[in-house]
């Protein structure tokens, strides 16, 4: 359920924020999102995702119960860094045996 929520919240944040989602992967304990945009636009995406995910956790569990939602925005200043980050975000799921192409993912509808 948390995976579905995170997946859908990335889409919702992408729809409302000016930062463009280039790639993302969702791990059991954290997410990776490669965004294109101004720092302020990426920060707005981060804040919206964190707040939305906190609401999800609180609504589904009744409490945060020690859950920590703390994303970092890391600027990419050179092409080699972009290649390293992009490769990591895209390749990480394949190491875990997860699907990586859009058609591999089911469409999830989240009720709120």
């Amino acid at each position: 359920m948390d995976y579905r929520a995170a997946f859908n919240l990335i889409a919702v944040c992408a729809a409302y924020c000016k930062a463009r989602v280039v790639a993302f992967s969702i791990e059991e304990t954290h997410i990776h999102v490669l965004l294109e945009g101004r720092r302020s636009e990426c920060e707005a995406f981060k804040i919206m995702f964190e707040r939305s995910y906190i609401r999800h956790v609180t609504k589904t569990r009744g409490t945060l119960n020690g859950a920590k939602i703390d994303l970092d925005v890391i600027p990419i200043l050179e092409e080699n860094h972009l290649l390293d980050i992009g490769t990591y975000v895209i390749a990480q799921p394949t190491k875990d045996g997860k699907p990586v192409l859009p058609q591999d993912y089911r469409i999830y509808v989240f009720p709120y």
Side-chain angles (χ1 to χ4, degrees):
M1 193 160 105
D2 292 337
Y3 176 84
R4 290 183 209 172
F7 194 97
N8 286 331
L9 289 174
I10 289 171
V12 169
C13 294
Y16 282 96
C17 297
K18 291 183 179 180
R20 185 171 75 93
V21 176
V22 177
F24 72 92
S25 61
I26 302 171
E27 303 301 320
E28 285 73 19
T29 59
H30 62 283
I31 67 167
H32 300 279
V33 184
L34 179 58
L35 299 171
E36 178 182 11
R38 293 188 170 116
R39 174 131 191 164
S40 61
E41 296 166 347
C42 296
E43 289 283 346
F45 182 99
K46 167 195 168 315
I47 291 166
M48 184 177 188
F49 183 88
E50 287 173 335
R51 289 179 180 167
S52 299
Y53 196 76
I54 286 170
R55 278 195 303 273
H56 158 74
V57 170
T58 303
K59 186 172 184 173
T60 58
R61 297 185 182 120
T63 179
L64 278 178
N65 197 24
K68 184 179 176 186
I69 317 300
D70 186 21
L71 303 179
D72 292 321
V73 174
I74 302 168
I76 296 177
L77 303 175
E78 59 185 43
E79 188 174 344
N80 284 340
H81 188 210
L82 173 60
L83 293 172
D84 290 344
I85 296 297
T87 300
Y88 181 80
V89 169
I90 293 168
Q92 187 62 36
T94 61
K95 291 185 214 172
D96 299 336
K98 294 179 182 166
V100 294
L101 298 173
Q103 63 265 27
D104 295 331
Y105 289 98
R106 291 182 43 210
I107 302 299
Y108 294 110
V109 177
F110 203 65
Y112 54 93

